[in-house]
Amino acid sequence: MLRPAMLSRGVVLACLGLACAGTAAGAMAAGGTAAGDAAVAPANRVLAKGVALRAGEQATVLGANAPIRVNVVLKMRQTAELEQVAGLVRAHVRQPLTDSELASRYLPAHGDAMRVAGFLRANGFSQVYVSKDNMIVSASGTEANVQSAFQTRLYSVQRGDKAGVANVDAVQIPSSLSDVVSAVHGLRSFQERGVSGAKVATMIKGHSYGKDRGVPGTQSTAGTVACQECVHAPMDLPSLYGASNLAPASGQKVAVIGVGDQGNTTYLYQTWASAYGFSNIPLNVTYPTGYTPGDYEAQTEAVLDVDAVATMSGGLQEIDFYSAPSTNLDDELAAVTAAINDNRSTISLSFAATCDADIGQDLRGSWDQELTAAVAKGITVFAITQDDGGHPGCAGGESSTGFPGSSPYVVSVGASTVYNSANSYAAYDHETLWQGSESGPAATEPRPYYQDGVASVVGARRGTPDFVMDGDPNTGLWIIIGGYDSTGTYQTQWAVYGGTSLAAPLLAGTYARLLQSGIQPYFWQQTFYDIGVGQVNATHGDCLTCYHLLTGGSNGAYSVVPGKYNQASGWGSWNAGALATGMQYQR
């Protein structure tokens, strides 16, 4: 994970009014220069305004050597046509695009990506990476390099619980690149940073820690379950969600998006799998845009994701782990792009900004541009809504869902509390909403066509989540986590984790089993919604049990409507065996 930028010993600005009005620093924070916007060279194009500081905020000018990572996103060609093609793929009218078809008509040219790379190097940036699809050029540099390339200075800003850098002046690019560059990201990390959706259990019911075996047990000594709201071992969850009725996904590859140094992830996963007697799934770790060795801050999230995917899949050809250098959403986009470029049909993403209302439109546009290409290629991304309930404190109260889980081009995943039957950890009884699960309308995304059947519920904007899976930490999954103690010795321990970060990879692993059963890899949103409408209206006799519609629960803003699609839990969770049959019926 990117370390906090080094700050200069310059003055700290204490803003007493919006944008520090009346001071030279305030004029700069508002997006101009001390001399005003007239100083902007006409040969440059402005991509983004400067960040205006709010009343009472403090900002510290970054020193020239403060490290900064940028991701320059290039423009796609024929974007309106590509959206139409993606719609045809979603509707199963045409086959997904091949890489050559996508590149020949829609993706940026390699020569243009190299022009951008050359521009960054000429301004002092290094570690320059060009994505395979020429969509993103990533580079590392300093605040001085940012000033040279983009004509803006950077502050370190603290806004509530959000901290990071903010561009003082407007972000500019030379007019010679204006036909190529869509956006420059990494200069507003204070509000565009993802957060892990992993939550540790605060109480543990059942599955007592079996110290003699070094692994949690699955039943009490009497041979029966002592509780219904219990944490789970990995053999329980496939049965609870009907996935055990399908063959293991042994021919599938699932991509997991993570952050930081994954040097210990394989060891932790293999230790966990061995404890349960599972065969090891090959874990292939890549760093598409580099990383910081020794940065293990997101290690637990990584282990949770890998273990959850393995749990539900029953076995895979491999798990491909794409690790970003930071949780900044533009760095995560670069990692997702790499997975899309490698044609991984199933992608699990468990980092998200809590409030999509706080994400700039340029960053939303960059994500949607890349995700449209993913849909056109038949790739499905499962993304979390986040863990702060119905009132996470978004700007202006505009939205209560996370980003990119609010994108219409992902399957948006919330979290539930799953109850097993009284005498079996593996027998499903019912589910309620986990109170931490975020949900609600997207801040700016309009309602996608596939939600037209539930327009009376979601309104004019994209509703989230589409589905939920187990994510209550107190009904979560046993995993093995690790870390270095004060002596430098690596220590491991068993722990129970949940959160939406458990739900998304559980769904991704289940989807891999659907693909293995013969379902073609498409972005299945329309089919998912058609099946849900048919189940609720009892019009599809073979799919009346495809989804577990939740029985109750609330996140504080939205409440479950039992037996119905609702803004709290979407269509509920999957009954995978029945869903596989239902999806075949819909084709």
Side-chain angles (χ1 to χ4, degrees):
M1 195 173 299
L2 194 65
R3 302 297 183 183
M6 297 182 342
L7 305 180
S8 73
R9 297 184 181 273
V11 65
V12 175
L13 300 180
C15 297
L16 302 179
L18 288 178
C20 298
T23 68
M28 292 184 288
T33 66
D37 286 343
V40 175
N44 289 352
R45 175 190 168 205
V46 174
L47 286 181
K49 295 179 180 180
V51 173
L53 300 177
R54 297 176 180 175
E57 288 183 345
Q58 293 187 331
T60 305
V61 179
L62 288 189
N65 294 323
I68 298 294
R69 184 186 307 277
V70 297
N71 288 284
V72 181
V73 177
L74 277 66
K75 296 178 180 178
M76 272 190 172
R77 298 171 288 148
Q78 314 290 345
T79 53
E81 180 182 296
L82 180 61
E83 179 65 39
Q84 292 177 342
V85 170
L88 295 175
V89 172
R90 285 183 290 201
H92 319 148
V93 174
R94 64 152 294 157
Q95 291 292 312
L97 291 175
T98 64
D99 285 334
S100 60
E101 289 172 335
L102 191 64
S104 65
R105 189 159 180 83
Y106 306 107
L107 295 178
H110 183 64
D112 289 338
M114 295 311 294
R115 285 170 56 198
V116 174
F119 167 74
L120 291 171
R121 291 191 181 98
N123 284 278
F125 286 90
S126 61
Q127 294 180 286
V128 178
Y129 300 88
V130 178
S131 63
K132 291 180 182 178
D133 61 2
N134 301 312
M135 286 286 294
I136 302 178
V137 182
S138 306
S140 297
T142 64
E143 197 277 345
N145 300 143
V146 169
Q147 283 199 47
S148 174
F150 305 115
Q151 308 302 303
T152 186
R153 293 155 300 158
L154 300 177
Y155 282 2
S156 175
V157 174
Q158 180 84 35
R159 178 171 291 178
D161 61 352
K162 298 177 180 179
V165 302
N167 56 290
V168 180
D169 313 295
V171 178
Q172 305 173 51
I173 57 168
S175 59
S176 60
L177 293 177
S178 63
D179 61 330
V180 174
V181 174
S182 171
V184 177
H185 301 303
L187 308 182
R188 291 197 305 270
S189 65
F190 80 100
Q191 65 179 9
E192 296 180 341
R193 181 166 289 156
V195 178
S196 164
K199 293 289 184 290
V200 67
T202 56
M203 54 187 283
I204 297 177
K205 295 181 182 179
H207 279 290
S208 60
Y209 192 100
K211 293 182 178 179
D212 57 329
R213 294 190 298 157
V215 60
T218 58
Q219 291 185 318
S220 68
T221 55
T224 60
V225 176
C227 63
Q228 286 183 284
E229 188 181 356
C230 305
V231 299
H232 294 96
M235 62 280 293
D236 302 329
L237 290 164
S239 295
L240 285 166
Y241 287 114
S244 57
N245 294 324
L246 301 173
S250 55
Q252 304 297 317
K253 298 179 180 179
V254 172
V256 172
I257 309 301
V259 175
D261 191 337
Q262 303 303 324
N264 297 316
T265 303
T266 299
Y267 168 74
L268 292 170
Y269 160 66
Q270 290 180 346
T271 303
W272 172 86
S274 177
Y276 285 112
F278 297 156
S279 59
N280 288 325
I281 300 170
L283 180 59
N284 178 35
V285 178
T286 59
Y287 303 94
T289 57
Y291 74 108
T292 301
D295 176 8
Y296 301 116
E297 290 182 60
Q299 182 72 78
T300 296
E301 175 66 68
V303 173
L304 177 64
D305 291 349
V306 170
D307 291 355
V309 165
T311 288
M312 293 303 291
S313 69
L316 291 161
Q317 184 176 341
E318 68 183 41
I319 298 174
D320 295 303
F321 197 105
Y322 295 83
S323 197
S326 82
T327 63
N328 292 355
L329 288 173
D330 55 303
D331 279 338
E332 291 180 34
L333 175 58
V336 171
T337 297
I340 292 170
N341 291 338
D342 288 344
N343 294 307
R344 298 299 177 253
S345 58
T346 306
I347 300 174
S348 178
L349 175 61
S350 290
F351 288 88
T354 295
C355 299
D356 75 332
D358 296 341
I359 303 303
Q361 187 58 51
D362 58 343
L363 184 56
R364 286 199 202 101
S366 294
W367 272 88
D368 282 351
Q369 177 176 260
E370 187 64 51
L371 291 171
T372 301
V375 172
K377 293 176 71 175
I379 292 170
T380 301
V381 178
F382 296 88
I384 67 172
T385 61
Q386 261 302 347
D387 293 355
D388 287 323
H391 298 287
C394 304
E398 292 184 48
S399 175
S400 58
T401 194
F403 182 85
S406 61
S407 170
Y409 305 100
V410 304
V411 177
S412 181
V413 187
S416 67
T417 300
V418 64
Y419 291 80
N420 44 260
S421 67
N423 60 357
S424 174
Y425 280 101
Y428 183 89
D429 190 83
H430 69 283
E431 271 172 286
T432 60
L433 186 71
W434 176 51
Q435 63 183 6
S437 181
E438 290 187 24
S439 66
T444 63
E445 298 280 9
R447 184 184 72 243
Y449 75 95
Y450 54 78
Q451 290 191 321
D452 286 349
V454 292
S456 62
V457 178
V458 302
R461 290 182 289 173
R462 195 267 201 261
T464 66
D466 298 312
F467 298 100
V468 297
M469 294 287 269
D470 184 28
D472 184 335
N474 297 315
T475 63
L477 179 68
W478 281 105
I479 64 173
I480 295 179
I481 61 175
Y484 293 94
D485 64 18
S486 59
T487 68
T489 303
Y490 195 70
Q491 305 282 356
T492 63
Q493 68 179 64
W494 286 95
V496 177
Y497 271 83
T500 50
S501 279
L502 172 60
L506 287 179
L507 209 60
T510 307
Y511 183 66
R513 272 189 159 168
L514 294 181
L515 297 182
Q516 188 69 31
S517 73
I519 303 298
Q520 294 300 306
Y522 287 93
F523 182 76
W524 280 102
Q525 291 294 68
Q526 184 64 66
T527 298
F528 285 147
Y529 275 75
D530 288 345
I531 287 174
V533 170
Q535 178 170 333
V536 171
N537 295 333
T539 55
H540 292 151
D542 64 330
C543 207
L544 298 182
T545 59
C546 282
Y547 302 144
H548 299 300
L549 296 163
L550 270 57
T551 61
S554 172
N555 61 12
Y558 301 95
S559 296
V560 169
V561 179
K564 301 286 186 179
Y565 173 90
N566 57 86
Q567 282 279 54
S569 62
W571 292 110
S573 65
W574 287 4
N575 182 1
L579 182 58
T581 301
M583 292 181 77
Q584 293 284 2
Y585 176 82
Q586 288 283 327
R587 293 171 60 189

